[in-house]
Amino acid sequence: MSEFVAVRRHEDGVAELVLDRPKAMNAVSTDMARAIGSACASLAADASVRVVVLSSTAERAFCVGADLKERNSLSDAELVRQRPTTRGAYGGVLELPMPTVAAVHGFALGGGFELALACDVIVADETAVVGLPEVSVGVIPGGGGTQLLPRRVGAARAAELIFTARRVEAAEALALGLVDSVVPAGSDREEALALAGRMAVNSPVGLRAAKRALRLGHGMDLTAGLEIEDAAWRTAAFSGDRAEGVAAFNEKRKPRWPGV
């Protein structure tokens, strides 16, 4: 789709959003942030996409975060003008309506780890090193990290990781819940695509409704959460996908999802 981002279509409704600025280890410049936001808007509007995998072409990194060389050249006024573009990139991934899987290897630091945190599931390989080191350069996580990390690992653990700015290698990241699985080196993309494929065989309407219930209900009290779940259930229960799913089950065949 651009110089820095590619979208690849796979079978069965899986799409791959590829970070493609390998010479800079996918450091997120203004132009790259704009490209990520644009790609996410296109994917979100595509009803044929059931699951998205976020991957990287850089050998040594998933994404090293903000392009600090570019940031060093920006005036305060330019940084203010850049901010909505940056937020659009991270928010674009977070707001994708279908399930998302991050395929992480090498460095996933700062904004790079925030892009992964914006996904529903993180598959990391053994080379992965993750962290939010922003306070070490005088800022704070600004791509959702202060909100997404505690939702994964709890407030105290998130505070320790953010305040120390420390980097966490794959095994510890798995133990702490920073990532959801660790796979052999070099296999993160393959494993993430395989996982996405297992998700994508299911109802597109059901997948999106389930994601909406999970996201909106998190942190709510039980009564409010159940109301959110009920609203999402109604979206799926009166859809063509539900009718086809029940029919396919009774006819002992694979469903042909209409996606509506």
Side-chain angles (χ1 to χ4, degrees):
M1 291 192 59
S2 78
E3 183 182 358
F4 302 127
V5 173
V7 173
R8 299 172 180 164
R9 306 280 176 167
H10 297 272
E11 296 179 356
D12 299 326
V14 175
E16 190 176 0
L17 176 56
V18 186
L19 306 177
D20 191 22
R21 197 187 177 204
K23 291 182 179 180
M25 292 199 289
N26 290 326
V28 182
S29 64
T30 304
D31 287 342
M32 185 173 180
R34 187 175 294 113
I36 293 170
S38 177
C40 287
S42 177
L43 288 167
D46 189 342
S48 70
V49 177
R50 300 180 186 177
V51 184
V52 172
V53 171
L54 181 62
S55 66
S56 160
T57 61
E59 291 185 5
R60 295 177 53 216
F62 172 72
C63 173
V64 293
D67 186 338
L68 296 184
K69 291 183 179 178
E70 180 189 64
R71 289 282 179 91
N72 193 47
S73 70
L74 297 179
S75 67
D76 287 353
E78 289 170 330
L79 187 58
V80 168
R81 287 194 295 271
Q82 183 208 46
R83 179 61 175 163
T85 301
T86 304
R87 288 194 70 183
Y90 299 110
V93 176
L94 183 63
E95 293 167 11
L96 284 169
M98 66 286 290
T100 51
V101 182
V104 173
H105 61 268
F107 297 113
L109 301 173
F113 188 38
E114 288 173 305
L115 286 171
L117 287 171
C119 295
D120 299 302
V121 180
I122 302 174
V123 176
D125 83 355
E126 294 168 337
T127 70
V129 178
V130 305
L132 297 176
E134 283 87 348
V135 297
S136 70
V137 293
V139 292
I140 71 167
T146 65
Q147 304 305 304
L148 295 171
L149 188 58
R151 284 168 167 77
R152 268 191 164 263
V153 300
R157 179 65 68 191
E160 182 262 319
L161 292 167
I162 291 171
F163 296 162
T164 62
R166 72 184 180 94
R167 301 179 179 190
V168 182
E169 295 186 358
E172 184 185 5
L174 179 62
L176 294 178
L178 299 173
V179 303
D180 300 303
S181 63
V182 173
V183 298
S187 66
D188 54 294
R189 176 176 175 269
E190 177 185 355
E191 293 293 337
L193 286 170
L195 175 59
R198 294 194 294 274
M199 296 176 181
V201 300
N202 297 305
S203 157
V205 172
L207 288 171
R208 293 185 182 217
K211 176 167 179 171
R212 188 160 60 251
L214 285 164
R215 284 286 179 91
L216 294 179
H218 186 88
M220 294 283 189
D221 64 64
L222 181 58
T223 299
L226 290 172
E227 289 301 314
I228 289 169
E229 180 185 78
D230 184 67
W233 176 86
R234 290 173 186 276
T235 299
F238 303 104
S239 69
D241 273 13
R242 193 276 305 171
E244 168 60 13
V246 172
F249 176 84
N250 284 288
E251 295 167 15
K252 297 181 173 54
R253 60 173 175 80
K254 291 184 178 180
R256 297 181 290 272
W257 304 116
V260 294

